[in-house]
Amino acid sequence: MSGEAGIEPITSEEELPPNATTANNEDTSNNNNISGGGGDNGKSLVIPITTSTNGNNFNNDGNNKDSGGLFIEIFPEEISSVRPTTLTKVLREEQAPLTTWCDASLLYMKAKREKEGCDLINAAADSEDVMSGSNNQDRLRVLSSAGIAALAQANKQTEGGGGSSGGGDAFDNDMDEAGETSKSTEANEKEVEELRAMADARFVKADNINQVNPMTWIGRGMLNLANNKYDQARFYFENLTLGQYGEILPALIGMAAVKYLEKDFKGAQDLYGRAMTKFPVQSGAAARVGFGMASYRLGQTDRAKAAFRRAHEIDSENVDALVGIAVLEMASLDEVLDAREYRAKAENVIKMISMANLVDHTNAMVQNHLANHYFWKWTPVPGMAKAERGSDVVEGNMASSLEPGDIIRIGREFETLVVADEDDMADDNSFKIKDSWKFESTTGQKIWKKDYDRVVSLAKGAYNSTNIPEVQAESLYMLARVYHARGDMEQANKFYEKACKHAPELSPARFGLAQTLIWDEAYDEAAAHLRLLLGTCSNATDALAALGLLEVRGGKDRREAFVYLKKAIDLDPFNADLVLIEALALQQHESDYPQALDRYRKALRLLEAQSKPVPADVLTNMGVLCHETKQYNEALEMYGKALNVVDADAGADATEEEKEVLVKHKDNSLFWDYAKTAVTVKVSGDDERKLIVSSDADIDSLVVKVGDDISLEGGTEAAVTEISKGGDGSIHILIDGDAELSSGESSLSVKQGNRKLHNLSSISIAFNLARAHESAGRVVPAVELHKAIVKLHPSYVNSYLRLACIARDCGSLKECAEWLKSAVAVAPGNPEVLTLVGNLHLSLCDWAPAQKVFDQLLAQKNQQVEAYSMLSMGNIYFNNLNTVGKYSKHLQYAADFYRRILQKDNANAYAANGLGTVLAEKGKLLEAKEVFNRVREVSGDTIADALLNLGHIYLAQKKHPEALQMYLSYMARTQSSGAQITSKSQEDDEAEVLQYIAFAHFDWARQTELFNDVKAAPADERYKKCIEYLEMAMKKSKRENILLRFNWCMAKLQAANCVLQKVNRNIRRTAQEVKDALTGLEESLPIIQTMIQWKQEKRKVPIQSSMLTDFVSQCKHNIDSAKGHLNEELRKEQDAQALRDIQRMDAEASKKSNEMKASLDKEKEAQEEEEREKRAMDKMKRVANLTEGWKTADTAAKKEKSTSKKKKGDAPPGGVDDEGGIFDTDVAAADTSALFDDSDDDDDDDDAGDAAKKTETEASTQGEQATQKDLFGDSSDEEELEAENPKKRSADDDEADTEQAAKKAKVDGEEQD
């Protein structure tokens, strides 16, 4: 249905009919002459001829004064055949009034020729001649009509997309890989914008004439509505037009459209209702369609259907009304129980959609509905077909009309796919089908096919016919479904993904995308899309079930997975398919087998209650689960039911060949039956094992043969051992047991085989049944059934293998070898056969033959047995550690095999356990303990290939140190093991890994260079590492590797460029670095030039010529640049050397100066020491002088005392008068101050006089103190004496002091310097 809620962009005449402003047809003064000269849809266009009357027949209002003048009349049905250019010319020549121009444009619009109508009215609006001389009202009408006409054309472009109905370039361009918008779509969008801009310009001009014009307001409201500016549209429709002019029809419809788009469906319904009530005729079909759309959104289906029907009655060509009726009728088909009524209504729905397509073959919505119809419809194919039972070739003259990929139906039930005849078994009158015909051979069968070509054509047409993403998404979804049905999953995935991009909420497309991703085994991505789907449609049971199954398969969160499954079942509890999916999810883990079996039983009950057939696969799965849970009797029952379903599908009786009895054991009764014969027998009286044929029969024609198993009515079952004729002519049958009859005679039944073992679909079920016999201990029926299988189907290897295993378990190794030999003869390269042969050798400890077998299996690289083969090889090496001289080698081989298993299947607990044993054998007990503890988690972090893969991942994440660590660890591991990890040689492996390491350094350097400043300094060293590893790889590689050599040259180029860029990045560099970069460039250039020459010689060079040419040009440029940089660096280094020489000389001069200063300081110190020693000597001399002076003074004092006594006493000369006079102490003390004075006696001052005598005692005391101080104090004699006796210094002492002060000043000045 239309997304515009029934609003059709129409011209001013339809927007403002004659009675638009009032309920009647009278003109009022306040309507501003809104109504024009046009009338209802049946009114013709009248153009007065004014050229002969000089145009005087019309007044300013455009009314004809002379009604009898000539005129041109164009009827509505004729307007489609009139070219707008011709009509424009006539209107110009006849100087038609503006109202006539509007009427002519209106006719084109009603004829659905919006472009012609728009061009015509624009011609009038753009012509000054036409617009001049008219009143403002007419000019307003023309400008408003031109703007509305432009909007009408723009909306038509938006709805129709400007494309055609058939495929075309627009569709193909939009389906490209990049998903870019097609050029035609861009051009169409540009045209729409231009039309809307034109409309806005017209409205601006109209506002310049009169700003209070309701027609302009309505046009502006339509423009804002088209631009999704609902508030502004509401302002023009409701506030201005309806508020000032009352209920005008176009304003009512416009406001209803605003409310509808704002999802106010009730308000929209009310406004549409008011419009229809107020203007029952002028509102037309568009208002009814809008009312129906609003009613549908409100859930009022009946009112919506009635509105659409009324719109169809008003306008039988209204596409929206037709589609609305068809969709609602289609939705009500589920309520119809009568088959005839259902078919009648369905045909009526298709007729309405087809009619809508005829009316508007560019309507994308209609085309999508038709595409959906033809997707499900079976189209009959002319002719009759002949099919034979079991054949996949069908004969019929319709073969030429069928192509590979067509889905066909033969008869009423058999659906299959036409496939290509690769074996040339079909001719021009026959074709090959995917599934063999399973019914009886028949002729005259009718064939139907799905007309997917028409679906594709309609979907492409719909895609090109619209620009609405949601509608385009439906078209893409239709295309995806076609490819999905045809089995082209890649194309289906492409279109599903495109549909989801156009309309993310289109749930069916997203579910289809998830299905194709599951087919592509992209389970994580599929689960992500299913989660998105559930985000928009949380009750999608199929999506819930699929997501639950995927979660179980992934093993990430089983609890969450079963939450999804439970929710799906709760939403649809009677859907047996959902219960089966839950059972399938549960059977993925052995611990859930009982619960899975219960779910299967529930599904079985649901199917039986709904009278639906139970598929054989379901019954087989139940049998297997019963088998695994040791419910053997129920397993046999399920297998029996599955065999009956398969046999019923075959639908044919057993042939004579198929009646052959191949199994006879009673436990295999599913494969034989007792067939009643016409023979009657009785028991012989003398021997209960002898039966006498009582009926008339000839021994030659007797249906019973020796060895047949027979059954009698008494319950006797026995085997015929002999048939003979008695003496009385009766036939005697001897059996291997006693016969017991319920009566005297009994009919005889013979055991005959049925066709169950002959049906290919039953073989796997029969094999499972035999396996159940084995597990239950019923070896005889198991062996019998296996032998019957290999007899009827010699290529069925599994039974050979089971027979070999049974023989081995019974101890018959010779018979086991015979069965294995037969299996090898039937399937020489069968991995399962070789596996069992290898196991047989292992059981016999034949290590060398076992190793040879498993080596052969590994060479096949079969994913199903590869892990087991590697595990067996690891076990072989681990069990041969005691081989002399090979302990380390075998241990390492075993570890490598276990690691390789974990690399491919990190859930393989056996391999993890084996790896733990190897680690323990090496003495790495802590690591072994960790592995054993993590057996359930299964970690493969230590495998070599895992390290390599981790390196790739880290490199992709730009974690270069971690990547390099992984690569180097891989190198160390492979080199130490000496084993080849891949099919290549060890050297090739190492060369390849060295390239990975080199590229890691290269990419790291490139990433570092992105800083483009000082932080880019490490890039140079990383480029060097890259070149180093590339050179190592070239040495390891046995043959010339052009690509490797090119990478080396490229690394040289980038390294040189990095060196040259150091200047701009403020990074120091040397001339040697630049020289090395230049050398690398000069070495690389001839190599690349040689490659270019090889290219020209048509030699194989796996590098594009453009890359080589670009390299040469860039290399030459860098060489020239490097030479300049080298000269600059050499100049800089010379300048730096000169500066270093100057600095060296300055340093030497400074060193000499320091040495001289040190020498002067040393000399000064020596002088000071000498001075100190001299002063010390002087002091010693003074002490000696003092001592001598004291002695002299004492002697002199004694003499003076003695003289004094002689003068006083009476004693004669030579006598002593007083003995005490000798010791008289009253003698004046001698003046000892001179002892402490450095001057001579001659320098004494003569004027001292009595003052000197008065101070003799004091001077003597001070002299003693000064002497003590001079002897024991810190100050020098000169300073103390100067302080004590400044007047007694001698001239010599003054000179000495002056000299000493001068020396001291000189020393102090040198120290300061």
Side-chain angles (χ1 to χ4, degrees):
M1 297 183 191
S2 173
E4 294 290 336
I7 293 299
E8 295 181 352
I10 53 182
T11 61
S12 57
E13 272 314 305
E14 284 188 336
E15 296 288 353
L16 298 174
N19 58 347
T21 57
T22 59
N24 51 35
N25 292 329
E26 297 179 358
D27 265 348
T28 59
S29 59
N30 65 341
N31 66 2
N32 203 20
N33 292 329
I34 296 175
S35 61
D40 59 282
N41 294 344
K43 186 174 180 178
S44 61
L45 175 65
V46 177
I47 305 175
I49 298 178
T50 61
T51 54
S52 60
T53 58
N54 297 324
N56 295 324
N57 293 338
F58 288 84
N59 58 18
N60 292 335
D61 295 334
N63 297 320
N64 196 340
K65 295 179 179 180
D66 185 6
S67 61
L70 299 177
F71 62 88
I72 299 173
E73 185 174 10
I74 301 175
F75 293 97
E77 59 271 14
E78 298 174 340
I79 194 65
S80 298
S81 61
V82 178
R83 290 187 300 177
T85 55
T86 302
L87 185 56
T88 302
K89 183 178 180 182
V90 171
L91 291 172
R92 286 181 183 274
E93 291 178 351
E94 301 303 329
Q95 299 179 6
L98 292 180
T99 54
T100 306
W101 286 81
C102 293
D103 294 341
S105 176
L106 179 59
L107 280 182
Y108 277 119
M109 290 290 180
K110 291 179 178 179
K112 299 187 184 303
R113 297 179 63 180
E114 288 82 1
K115 187 177 185 307
E116 289 81 352
C118 183
D119 293 342
L120 183 67
I121 197 67
N122 283 327
D126 294 334
S127 176
E128 291 294 336
D129 296 338
V130 176
M131 295 291 288
S132 63
S134 301
N135 56 38
N136 288 341
Q137 295 177 2
D138 291 343
R139 282 187 291 164
L140 278 173
R141 182 184 177 195
V142 169
L143 290 172
S144 300
S145 298
I148 294 174
L151 285 178
Q153 187 179 353
N155 291 345
K156 184 66 176 179
Q157 289 289 102
T158 303
E159 293 176 359
S164 61
S165 60
D169 295 336
F171 176 83
D172 295 332
N173 290 339
D174 202 36
M175 293 300 104
D176 58 2
E177 293 294 335
E180 297 177 353
T181 305
S182 64
K183 293 182 180 179
S184 62
T185 303
E186 293 177 356
N188 182 67
E189 291 177 354
K190 185 177 180 181
E191 184 177 356
V192 169
E193 291 300 324
E194 290 176 354
L195 289 171
R196 290 176 179 172
M198 182 189 298
D200 186 57
R202 301 299 186 200
F203 297 143
V204 170
K205 286 185 178 181
D207 286 338
N208 292 335
I209 298 173
N210 185 0
Q211 295 184 356
V212 194
N213 182 24
M215 186 181 294
T216 308
W217 294 341
I218 292 171
R220 286 197 174 278
M222 293 173 61
L223 178 61
N224 285 291
L225 189 63
N227 290 327
N228 297 325
K229 298 177 180 179
Y230 303 140
D231 291 338
Q232 297 182 27
R234 179 194 301 274
F235 173 76
Y236 284 108
F237 287 137
E238 187 175 36
N239 296 357
L240 292 182
T241 309
L242 294 177
Q244 296 188 25
Y245 287 91
E247 293 184 341
I248 296 177
L249 175 61
L252 286 172
I253 295 179
M255 194 58 220
V258 171
K259 288 186 175 294
Y260 183 90
L261 293 174
E262 290 179 342
K263 301 187 183 304
D264 183 6
F265 303 120
K266 179 61 177 174
Q269 186 187 50
D270 294 339
L271 286 172
Y272 281 126
R274 286 163 59 186
M276 290 186 296
T277 303
K278 194 79 171 179
F279 310 101
V281 177
Q282 288 81 3
S283 58
R288 273 76 178 174
V289 171
F291 184 85
M293 289 290 296
S295 300
Y296 175 77
R297 293 290 187 176
L298 292 171
Q300 302 170 5
T301 308
D302 293 336
R303 296 187 70 183
K305 194 182 298 184
F308 290 139
R309 286 202 178 98
R310 178 57 182 155
H312 178 58
E313 292 174 0
I314 296 174
D315 183 4
S316 60
E317 295 185 354
N318 190 298
V319 175
D320 292 333
L322 286 169
V323 174
I325 296 171
V327 170
L328 294 178
E329 289 289 347
M330 191 180 299
S332 64
L333 288 178
D334 295 337
E335 302 174 0
V336 179
L337 299 178
D338 184 68
R340 292 184 179 180
E341 184 181 356
Y342 183 90
R343 285 194 298 269
K345 283 194 172 186
E347 290 177 1
N348 187 43
V349 167
I350 299 304
K351 284 181 181 179
M352 284 187 287
I353 295 178
S354 301
M355 186 184 301
N357 189 48
L358 290 175
V359 173
D360 184 4
H361 61 277
T362 63
N363 189 294
M365 182 172 51
V366 174
Q367 289 176 314
N368 281 335
H369 281 295
L370 281 177
N372 183 64
H373 165 68
Y374 285 112
F375 179 83
W376 296 107
K377 181 182 178 182
W378 287 102
T379 303
V381 180
M384 296 293 179
K386 176 183 178 182
E388 294 185 359
R389 179 174 172 266
S391 175
D392 58 357
V393 176
V394 179
E395 298 179 4
N397 54 7
M398 77 292 296
S400 59
S401 61
L402 298 176
E403 297 180 355
D406 286 344
I407 298 177
I408 63 172
R409 187 183 75 196
I410 304 176
R412 293 292 181 181
E413 300 178 0
F414 188 76
E415 295 182 12
T416 186
L417 185 71
V418 179
V419 296
D421 185 15
E422 298 177 354
D423 301 329
D424 294 332
M425 298 177 61
D427 53 22
D428 294 340
N429 292 324
S430 61
F431 58 91
K432 191 173 182 180
I433 58 179
K434 181 180 180 181
D435 305 306
S436 300
W437 179 255
K438 64 181 181 180
F439 304 106
E440 289 295 331
S441 300
T442 182
T443 58
Q445 288 290 332
K446 186 67 177 174
I447 293 183
W448 287 264
K449 78 168 186 176
K450 291 292 183 71
D451 193 0
Y452 287 144
D453 292 338
R454 181 179 292 185
V455 177
V456 171
S457 178
L458 287 168
K460 287 184 177 181
Y463 183 88
N464 287 330
S465 297
T466 183
N467 287 332
I468 301 175
E470 291 79 6
V471 181
Q472 286 184 327
E474 292 183 7
S475 303
L476 294 168
Y477 171 61
M478 291 294 173
L479 290 169
R481 291 170 72 190
V482 170
Y483 288 112
H484 199 160
R486 286 177 171 175
D488 190 351
M489 295 298 180
E490 294 182 0
Q491 286 295 323
N493 177 271
K494 174 182 175 181
F495 285 105
Y496 279 135
E497 186 174 6
K498 193 73 176 178
C500 291
K501 289 181 179 179
H502 277 68
E505 294 184 358
L506 187 59
S507 299
R510 194 167 296 281
F511 185 72
L513 178 59
Q515 287 179 308
T516 55
L517 289 171
I518 292 172
W519 171 85
D520 198 31
E521 297 183 357
Y523 301 118
D524 292 339
E525 192 174 353
H529 281 287
L530 289 173
R531 292 189 186 95
L532 289 175
L533 189 155
L534 292 174
T536 58
C537 186
S538 60
N539 294 334
T541 55
D542 291 340
L544 287 167
L547 181 58
L549 193 57
L550 286 177
E551 292 288 348
V552 171
R553 183 184 182 89
K556 296 179 181 178
D557 191 350
R558 286 174 52 82
R559 179 177 299 178
E560 184 69 18
F562 285 104
V563 168
Y564 289 129
L565 291 170
K566 186 178 184 302
K567 183 177 179 181
I569 295 173
D570 291 342
L571 291 171
D572 192 1
F574 298 105
N575 191 332
D577 292 335
L578 298 178
V579 180
L580 289 174
I581 291 176
E582 184 184 17
L584 188 62
L586 286 168
Q587 75 181 35
Q588 302 299 318
H589 291 267
E590 186 175 356
S591 59
D592 295 331
Y593 283 170
Q595 294 91 327
L597 188 57
D598 291 338
R599 306 312 293 168
Y600 273 120
R601 288 173 180 145
K602 179 180 179 180
L604 190 63
R605 291 192 297 269
L606 287 173
L607 290 172
E608 292 175 349
Q610 298 168 8
S611 300
K612 294 182 179 179
V614 181
D617 293 341
V618 173
L619 295 169
T620 303
N621 287 345
M622 293 182 67
V624 172
L625 290 175
C626 291
H627 181 183
E628 295 294 334
T629 54
K630 298 183 180 181
Q631 303 176 41
Y632 301 119
N633 292 332
E634 189 175 354
L636 293 178
E637 180 184 353
M638 293 298 108
Y639 289 141
K641 290 182 178 180
L643 287 170
N644 292 333
V645 171
V646 173
D647 189 55
D649 290 339
D653 297 331
T655 62
E656 291 298 326
E657 181 182 357
E658 292 172 346
K659 292 180 180 179
E660 180 184 0
V661 180
L662 300 176
V663 291
K664 298 182 177 181
H665 199 278
K666 63 180 181 179
D667 290 333
N668 291 326
S669 59
L670 291 170
F671 302 99
W672 50 262
D673 300 300
Y674 280 110
K676 192 173 183 179
T677 65
V679 178
T680 57
V681 296
K682 59 183 179 180
V683 180
S684 175
D686 54 350
D687 189 356
E688 293 184 351
R689 295 184 301 167
K690 182 186 295 184
L691 301 176
I692 301 173
V693 178
S694 57
S695 58
D696 296 335
D698 187 5
I699 193 173
D700 296 331
S701 61
L702 192 64
V703 295
V704 182
K705 307 297 181 183
V706 175
D708 286 347
D709 289 335
I710 61 173
S711 173
L712 304 178
E713 292 179 353
T716 301
E717 295 182 0
V720 177
T721 58
E722 181 182 349
I723 299 177
S724 60
K725 198 169 187 178
D728 56 356
S730 60
I731 299 175
H732 295 174
I733 300 175
L734 192 63
I735 59 176
D736 59 355
D738 295 338
E740 297 181 1
L741 302 179
S742 57
S743 60
E745 293 184 351
S746 172
S747 60
L748 185 144
S749 299
V750 180
K751 183 180 291 186
Q752 291 182 350
N754 52 34
R755 61 187 308 274
K756 293 178 181 178
L757 275 177
H758 295 266
N759 194 331
L760 292 175
S761 302
S762 302
I763 298 304
S764 60
I765 302 174
F767 176 79
N768 288 339
L769 181 59
R771 292 285 290 117
H773 287 323
E774 293 179 44
S775 300
R778 299 187 288 265
V779 178
V780 175
V783 171
E784 182 186 56
L785 192 51
H786 283 307
K787 289 182 177 180
I789 291 173
V790 299
K791 182 177 180 180
L792 290 175
H793 308 281
S795 61
Y796 196 79
V797 180
N798 290 337
S799 288
Y800 287 105
L801 301 182
R802 291 313 308 162
L803 287 170
C805 290
I806 292 172
R808 180 199 60 191
D809 295 341
C810 294
S812 180
L813 297 181
K814 182 178 180 180
E815 186 178 356
C816 174
E818 290 296 327
W819 285 114
L820 290 177
K821 184 178 179 180
S822 300
V824 172
V826 171
N830 189 290
E832 294 183 5
V833 175
L834 294 177
T835 301
L836 195 55
V837 172
N839 286 339
L840 178 61
H841 289 301
L842 286 178
S843 63
L844 298 175
C845 295
D846 294 335
W847 305 115
Q851 181 182 4
K852 183 177 180 181
V853 171
F854 288 116
D855 279 336
Q856 182 180 353
L857 282 170
L858 290 176
Q860 293 181 1
K861 297 182 179 181
N862 189 304
Q863 297 295 330
Q864 296 179 349
V865 297
E866 186 176 22
Y868 184 81
S869 301
M870 288 191 290
L871 182 65
S872 299
M873 289 292 292
N875 291 338
I876 290 171
Y877 282 115
F878 193 80
N879 282 282
N880 286 272
L881 294 178
N882 295 328
T883 304
V884 179
K886 294 186 178 181
Y887 175 85
S888 300
K889 184 177 181 180
H890 284 182
L891 188 62
Q892 188 62 46
Y893 283 170
D896 288 340
F897 277 114
Y898 295 140
R899 290 190 180 104
R900 289 168 62 185
I901 296 170
L902 291 174
Q903 177 193 1
K904 296 183 178 182
D905 180 15
N906 59 6
N908 193 316
Y910 300 101
N913 183 71
L915 183 61
T917 58
V918 171
L919 293 173
E921 185 69 22
K922 289 182 178 180
K924 301 177 181 179
L925 301 181
L926 294 177
E927 295 183 24
K929 180 180 179 181
E930 182 181 356
V931 171
F932 289 138
N933 290 332
R934 297 180 60 188
V935 163
R936 292 180 298 174
E937 301 176 3
V938 188
S939 172
D941 293 341
T942 56
I943 2 178
D945 282 353
L947 295 173
L948 189 63
N949 293 334
L950 279 175
H952 293 330
I953 294 172
Y954 283 131
L955 184 59
Q957 296 176 341
K958 302 300 181 183
K959 296 181 179 180
H960 300 93
E962 293 85 350
L964 289 171
Q965 182 181 359
M966 294 297 106
Y967 290 143
L968 293 174
S969 299
Y970 177 90
M971 290 284 294
R973 190 179 298 276
T974 54
Q975 289 174 356
S976 62
S977 65
Q980 300 171 4
I981 302 303
T982 66
S983 59
K984 303 176 184 179
S985 64
Q986 185 72 25
E987 289 77 10
D988 290 339
D989 282 338
E990 292 180 6
E992 187 174 0
V993 179
L994 287 170
Q995 291 185 66
Y996 295 150
I997 297 174
F999 180 74
H1001 282 292
F1002 184 85
D1003 192 61
W1004 195 4
R1006 291 289 297 273
Q1007 185 181 9
T1008 307
E1009 280 195 284
L1010 295 177
F1011 289 111
N1012 203 27
D1013 54 14
V1014 180
K1015 295 180 181 178
D1020 185 31
E1021 185 63 28
R1022 289 160 189 168
Y1023 279 126
K1024 292 179 181 178
K1025 284 286 186 181
C1026 170
I1027 295 171
E1028 178 185 348
Y1029 279 103
L1030 285 174
E1031 291 173 350
M1032 293 171 60
M1034 287 189 287
K1035 292 179 181 179
K1036 287 286 184 181
S1037 183
K1038 293 182 179 179
R1039 61 183 182 276
E1040 177 66 22
N1041 191 324
I1042 297 177
L1043 189 60
L1044 182 58
R1045 181 67 63 178
F1046 176 78
N1047 291 337
W1048 180 81
C1049 295
M1050 182 60 71
K1052 287 281 188 180
L1053 178 63
Q1054 289 298 128
N1057 187 61
C1058 179
V1059 172
L1060 297 179
Q1061 291 293 327
K1062 282 187 174 182
V1063 175
N1064 300 330
R1065 296 167 180 165
N1066 297 324
I1067 302 174
R1068 295 187 61 185
R1069 68 180 182 186
T1070 64
Q1072 185 62 39
E1073 290 179 347
V1074 179
K1075 186 176 181 180
D1076 293 339
L1078 179 60
T1079 303
L1081 292 172
E1082 292 175 344
E1083 291 176 353
S1084 302
L1085 182 59
I1087 295 174
I1088 303 302
Q1089 290 175 337
T1090 303
M1091 292 183 183
I1092 294 176
Q1093 184 179 354
W1094 288 349
K1095 274 274 189 181
Q1096 295 172 352
E1097 295 173 357
K1098 305 301 182 182
R1099 294 179 62 179
K1100 186 176 181 181
V1101 178
I1103 305 169
Q1104 296 179 0
S1105 300
S1106 60
M1107 294 181 63
L1108 297 174
T1109 306
D1110 293 342
F1111 183 95
V1112 170
S1113 62
Q1114 187 175 359
C1115 187
K1116 289 180 178 179
H1117 173 75
N1118 283 2
I1119 287 174
D1120 296 337
S1121 179
K1123 289 179 179 178
H1125 281 260
L1126 180 59
N1127 294 331
E1128 180 67 19
E1129 288 299 326
L1130 290 174
R1131 185 186 62 78
K1132 288 182 179 179
E1133 289 194 356
Q1134 291 175 357
D1135 295 342
Q1137 184 63 37
L1139 180 62
R1140 285 194 295 271
D1141 291 342
I1142 294 173
Q1143 292 175 348
R1144 179 177 55 78
M1145 294 173 64
D1146 291 342
E1148 291 177 355
S1150 177
K1151 182 178 179 182
K1152 289 182 179 180
S1153 176
N1154 292 334
E1155 290 177 354
M1156 185 177 296
K1157 182 178 180 181
S1159 177
L1160 292 175
D1161 292 341
K1162 188 175 181 181
E1163 183 179 354
K1164 176 182 177 182
E1165 185 178 354
Q1167 291 178 354
E1168 291 177 352
E1169 182 67 23
E1170 184 179 356
E1171 290 292 334
R1172 284 194 296 270
E1173 291 179 356
K1174 184 178 179 180
R1175 286 196 297 271
M1177 292 295 295
D1178 291 342
K1179 288 181 180 181
M1180 293 300 296
K1181 287 180 181 180
R1182 288 174 183 167
V1183 169
N1185 292 332
L1186 285 173
T1187 304
E1188 186 66 26
W1190 289 340
K1191 289 181 180 180
T1192 304
D1194 187 35
T1195 303
K1198 287 181 179 181
K1199 287 181 177 183
E1200 183 177 358
K1201 184 178 179 182
S1202 173
T1203 303
S1204 175
K1205 283 184 176 184
K1206 288 181 177 179
K1207 290 178 175 182
K1208 292 179 178 183
D1210 295 324
V1216 177
D1217 294 334
D1218 190 1
E1219 295 178 358
I1222 300 173
F1223 304 97
D1224 190 1
T1225 58
D1226 295 333
V1227 180
D1231 188 6
T1232 60
S1233 61
L1235 294 177
F1236 303 96
D1237 193 358
D1238 292 336
S1239 62
D1240 297 334
D1241 293 339
D1242 294 337
D1243 296 332
D1244 293 338
D1245 190 358
D1246 293 336
D1247 296 329
D1250 295 336
K1253 293 180 179 179
K1254 292 180 180 180
T1255 57
E1256 285 182 352
T1257 306
E1258 181 179 356
S1260 177
T1261 305
Q1262 291 177 349
E1264 292 178 0
Q1265 294 176 352
T1267 301
Q1268 294 176 357
K1269 186 176 181 180
D1270 187 44
L1271 290 176
F1272 306 104
D1274 295 333
S1275 61
S1276 62
D1277 292 337
E1278 293 80 1
E1279 295 172 347
E1280 293 180 358
L1281 291 174
E1282 183 179 2
E1284 294 293 334
N1285 299 307
K1287 295 182 179 181
K1288 292 183 178 182
R1289 289 187 306 168
S1290 66
D1292 295 336
D1293 291 338
D1294 293 337
E1295 294 177 358
D1297 292 340
T1298 303
E1299 183 180 358
Q1300 185 175 3
K1303 289 182 179 181
K1304 181 177 181 181
K1306 182 178 180 181
V1307 172
D1308 293 339
E1310 289 177 353
E1311 289 178 351
Q1312 290 176 359
D1313 292 339

